[in-house]
Amino acid sequence: MSTCEQFDVVIVGAGISGAIMAQQLGAKGKKVLILEAGTGTEDRFWNSESEHEGEKVKHPGYESYMDTFFTALAKIPNAPFPNNPNAPQPLVTDLAPIRDNQPLTDGYFVQKGPLPFSSTYTRSEGGTTLHWLGTCLRMLPEDFDINTRFGQGLDWPIDYDELQKWYEMAEKNIGVSANADEQNYHQINNSSVHIPFENQYNYPMEKIPQSYLDHHMEEGLRGMTVSFDDQDYPVDVVSTPQARNGMPRGDYRPVGAVGNPDVGQRCAGNSNCVPICPIQAKYNALKTLEQARKTGNVEIRNQCVVYDIEVDPATNNISRLLYKQYQHSGSPDHVCKTVTGKIVVLAAHAVENAKLLLASGIANSSDQVGRNLMDHPTMLTWGLMPDKIGAFRGPGSTSGIPSLRGGAFRKNRAAFRIEIGNWGWSWPEGAPINTVPDLIDQKNMFGKQLKDTIQSIYPRMFRFGFLVEQLPDSNNRVTIDPDYRDQLGNYRPVINYNVTDYTRAGMAAAKQVSDQIFQRLGVEGYTEYHPSDPGYLTYQGKGYTYNGAGHLVGTHIMGSDSKTSVVNKEQRSWDHPNLYLVGCGNMPTISTSNPTLTMAALTYWAADNVLKALDQA
Amino acid sequence: MYINDECKPIKTKNNKLCPITTIEELHHNLQLAIELEFATLPTYLCALYTIKENTNICAYNVIRSVVMEEMFHLTNSANVLIGTGGFPALNKPEFIPVFPTKLPDKETWFTVDLQKFSPEALTTFKYIEEPAEIAHGLITIGEFYANIEQGLVHLNSQTDVDLFPKKTHPQIEHKYYYGGGGIISKVTDLDSALFAINAIIAQGEGMPTTHWDPDKPFPLDETTGIFSGDHPLFMQPRELAHYYRFNELSAGKRYVCGDTHNSGPTGPDIPIDYHAVYNMKPNPKSSDYANFPELQQMNLEFNRLFSHLLNQLHDAFNGNPEILEPAVGTMFKMKYAAQELMRNPVPDSVYDYYAGPSWEYLSDNQ
Amino acid sequence: MNRLSDFYRLGAALTDYEIVQLEGTGVGEEYYDVLTSLVSGNILDELFDDYNNLDKTCSGHVPDEQIRSSILANPKLGPVARNIIKLWYLSIWYQLPENWRQKYGIPNQTKNKYQDVQFIVSRNAYIQGLVWQATGSHPMGAKQPGYGTWSAAPGNQPHPVNFQ
């Protein structure tokens, strides 16, 4: 025990929430250790080599992810990032329909269904921000108390006004491009979605230029309304706030790539935000980790998997963390080590936080750990525009239709946000790489006919994504089972998941909106949902397919009652005074905004709480 | 780089620059500054683009960093010209030198070619960027800019001269300029004008000084360059004058703390592979492709893009700074068009040369 | 006759891109390497000779029907020609059809650089796939077109700039 290393704060996980926490604490002189389960690139952009005792040692940089990405046949969100059996991660290629209650066990997740949970995350230094799209929406004020307003889901222990200044901080530090006078949605004729912004506040960078498709859509849909429960709602195209470098306002300086800061100061239209921005014009947590390191007070230790957390029974404080440190991802050889911190912060991701708490048997007096797992079941619709709209260009999405995010209909069914996709049919069909072989092999095209077909059809492709709200449900949960472990002997997440009628009704309403938009724009529809799709479900006799949004929320929710929640509004465990949980797991509901910005705002707040706790001690 | 009256029409007397005494002379000198900064770009870019994809990463980054700084200098000069009521002119054939072009090297002349990345190219680059301290009896770029500074100070003190008029075209602001080189600032008065010019002098070859000591160590960080492969910034260019950055490449070694002009770089090796380079024909001309219509077409396409770029830059500096945004897109297109040419062998070439762009400005009707 | 230049000539006919554009990708030799490792020399000779003969008899303007009947519909040459199209467009080698492999295939050998399985030829090759040009775009993740370019109408021509 006496040899145990000691820090002010030990953070588990080097993703965005761990990075924010470390940077904030390090800047205030606190000694911080981050333990990251996955491998990392440690501020290197380029791959390099060094000699150690006569042997060449490789040091992969961010470019190694590009190498892997380009030569990967399946360009899935995790394609660029190492397949690491010591810190395995879920892949969309693991998915299949769950039949006859037979769990899916081939991937990292053990999926017990009845429906598969379709979202994935990245276990590497930098975390899932390495492959996120960068959408940075704030939640609506009404999202914080949907139980009170609509009799659905849960209320948050905080409201929009309390979170507002932390939103501003997150937007500034992450680097979000948007115009406040659009993002307050005051131009939308649906007061349910209006978001109050501080007077004079604006984002650090001007909005990212909207795509040609966005403009086309905006013109085509001008004045359109849809009707739900005899009430009309507007269908308005609005640019999306993005953690992507654009034109700076005032003295703001966009942050370029880590280890290569001259590149990435503007988005250059690589059209590859997911799975990986080649120039890091899109924010990733490596940037905040670099800032954390530069404080001189933060150490980041990669390849250290925390597997157990011990509690001092006298104080209920966390006494120490136990972790396995490995040398190579290819070999399970490791050494076991321990470390203590005055305060411990779990920032390992919603699923990994829950898994670790369950494995350690802590913080669970409420029996809510692992429960209320949520995502945005994402339904796609796709088709061909009558004219070329220049598909496959620009960031993955630059605009959406947010005007249906809120309203009285939430009493009866889920709300949704519509994302306008700039990359043609790449998500629904894998175009062009997966679709062109059919033109050659089955349609027997070559030469001019082939070229003309691609030239005339592909620039017309477009798709919508409907991000449908999902309510907290205690049966949607992460558990552990001694029968399912990874190569290091750590637990694999066992997942039970379903989609309720509330969300299914939202999908059905979304499909109707899509149909009306297609009719109005003259879109040649190609949407098809098949029972063989992993996310296929039915509602009122019709079939729909959802995909994972990568928005894993709600496995250790915050609340105002220790009996029904895992953390309080300070994001501190109800059970252990020196344990803080951060990340999307704290969110009691998911509503219709991509959760990262809200999670980042919450984490800045949590860092402030940790600082106060350290200074009081 | 050196200035004399054979290089460009500029007033010199006994190999000394004439003091700037009128706004017209100031504008003339600033326009010349823009042309001088731009003149190096085709040379550097040709070498840069002949480097095969994902090879010679260090060399690529070093040349790129110099290019970015030349563009920063150009933009600073343009802002001073705009801020003093002038009008930069970039959209004319004379704006571009015809290659091979001549520059003075001490007592003799040396030729600047468009050529592939090679030891010879690096030698030329070093000539171009030779520090003022090594020059004897020649007018350096540093002196040229110092003369502009003196002109600014002089004109500012004249009560009858409105040196910084209220109504000018908008300048290139910080938000339009990115990607390395430096941070652009707006020119509104003498201080900001001197600041902009100083930024050029500080970054380039430095001011001439009689106290220069070739054995004085460079102001390098103690850790710079001493790590071999595992230093995160190993592949990055460093804050050395252009000449020394190129010298690192030609020596194939990095400067480390304690190194001097005379010692040369003594640090770890820089991996350079001169074979991973397209064998571009030196100084390509459109006439080289007279018998190969497909290559001719490709070169024409490049020149169209190049001319379009000059028009866009001209427009950006003459009232529409937002045009700089799409101009960056044109620069990327030029890169891809140049590389496409450089991957094509010139048929029947005795030296197994590959094609390359001819960098010609086409007027509207071409 | 140089087989590599035959490869470019056939490639140009199969893809409708000019030879200089194919050479301009810089990865033609890599494709040729893949092809010659995985398809036997006599089949490639036959393929290139067939095309050259068509080209000669049609004085440089081979009608599509001729290419279909003598190459694409030929059980031996057709699958190879289709793979060549896919190499140029997608930079991916696809495993040849089962019945073709049984009849004409070279058995996979562990020491060979390439195997007759589906693979992306290389990082450099991936970003040179013709499909991205044909789509009016750029390879996703490479050949960045620059900030804001996605706002402009699709098409390859630079926008006219208005200046006095």
Side-chain angles (χ1 to χ4, degrees), chain B residues 40 42-48 50-51 63 110-129 242-243 246-247 249-250 274 277-278 280 282:
Chain B
T40 58
T43 312
Y44 291 150
L45 289 173
C46 263
L48 188 67
T50 55
I51 294 175
I63 300 173
F110 74 98
T111 305
V112 175
D113 295 298
L114 299 176
Q115 57 187 328
K116 67 175 177 180
F117 176 65
S118 59
E120 295 75 25
L122 288 170
T123 304
T124 306
F125 294 177
K126 287 198 292 180
Y127 273 133
I128 295 176
E129 302 287 355
H242 296 176
Y243 175 88
F246 288 136
N247 198 43
L249 295 183
S250 61
Y274 289 113
V277 172
Y278 293 108
M280 187 190 79

Side-chain angles (χ1 to χ4, degrees), chain A residues 63-64 66-67 69-73 75 177 206-213 215 245-247 266-272 276 278-279 388-395 398 422-423 426 431-434 436-437 440-441 443-452 454-456 458-459, chain C residues 12-18 21 62-68 72 79 81-83 85-87 89-94 117-124 126-127 129-156 159:
Chain A
E63 271 288 288
S64 70
M66 294 308 299
D67 291 333
F69 161 74
F70 280 120
T71 51
L73 275 171
K75 302 241 185 294
S177 297
E206 296 173 14
K207 74 170 176 182
I208 297 291
Q210 291 172 272
S211 67
Y212 184 79
L213 167 63
H215 292 302
N245 286 335
M247 308 264 274
R266 289 297 180 286
C267 173
N270 272 290
S271 314
N272 208 56
I276 183 167
I279 57 172
K388 291 183 185 181
I389 43 80
F392 303 97
R393 299 186 306 161
T398 38
N422 285 333
W423 299 340
S426 73
I433 297 294
N434 293 348
V436 165
I440 299 163
D441 293 330
K443 308 290 191 290
N444 287 308
M445 294 184 188
F446 79 101
K448 190 168 185 308
Q449 189 194 9
L450 174 63
K451 188 174 163 190
D452 287 351
I454 296 172
Q455 280 177 344
S456 58
Y458 280 59
Chain C
L14 291 173
T15 61
D16 196 37
Y17 279 83
E18 308 210 25
Q21 292 176 298
V62 187
D64 280 2
E65 306 80 69
Q66 298 257 7
I67 293 178
R68 283 191 195 286
L72 292 167
R82 278 184 284 276
N83 261 23
I85 302 174
K86 284 181 259 183
L87 274 177
Y89 267 91
L90 306 168
S91 317
I92 297 176
W93 176 263
Y94 289 83
V117 294
Q118 191 179 339
F119 64 95
I120 288 171
V121 172
S122 68
R123 171 177 175 164
N124 283 343
Y126 182 77
I127 69 178
L130 299 176
V131 68
W132 305 110
Q133 286 190 48
T135 305
S137 174
H138 65 99
M140 296 177 94
K143 292 195 188 177
Q144 52 192 28
Y147 186 69
T149 48
W150 53 88
S151 288
N156 286 316
H159 295 275

Side-chain angles (χ1 to χ4, degrees), chain A residues 115 499 501 504 535-545:
Chain A
L115 287 170
V499 177
D501 275 356
R504 293 181 194 217
Y536 183 81
L537 51 73
T538 58
Y539 180 71
Q540 295 184 339
K542 284 190 180 160
Y544 306 92
T545 294

Side-chain angles (χ1 to χ4, degrees), chain A residues 41-45 125 258-260 286 289-290 293, chain B residues 232-233:
Chain A
T41 49
E42 293 166 349
D43 296 350
R44 279 183 302 271
F45 189 84
E125 185 191 17
V258 172
N260 194 10
L286 299 174
L289 289 171
E290 185 190 36
R293 276 195 189 94
Chain B
L233 292 179

Side-chain angles (χ1 to χ4, degrees), chain A residues 469-490:
Chain A
E469 176 181 23
Q470 179 166 38
L471 296 177
D473 177 343
S474 62
N475 294 319
N476 284 351
R477 63 188 296 203
V478 178
T479 56
I480 53 173
D481 179 334
D483 286 345
Y484 296 109
R485 292 176 190 266
D486 67 21
Q487 152 176 309
L488 279 189
N490 296 324

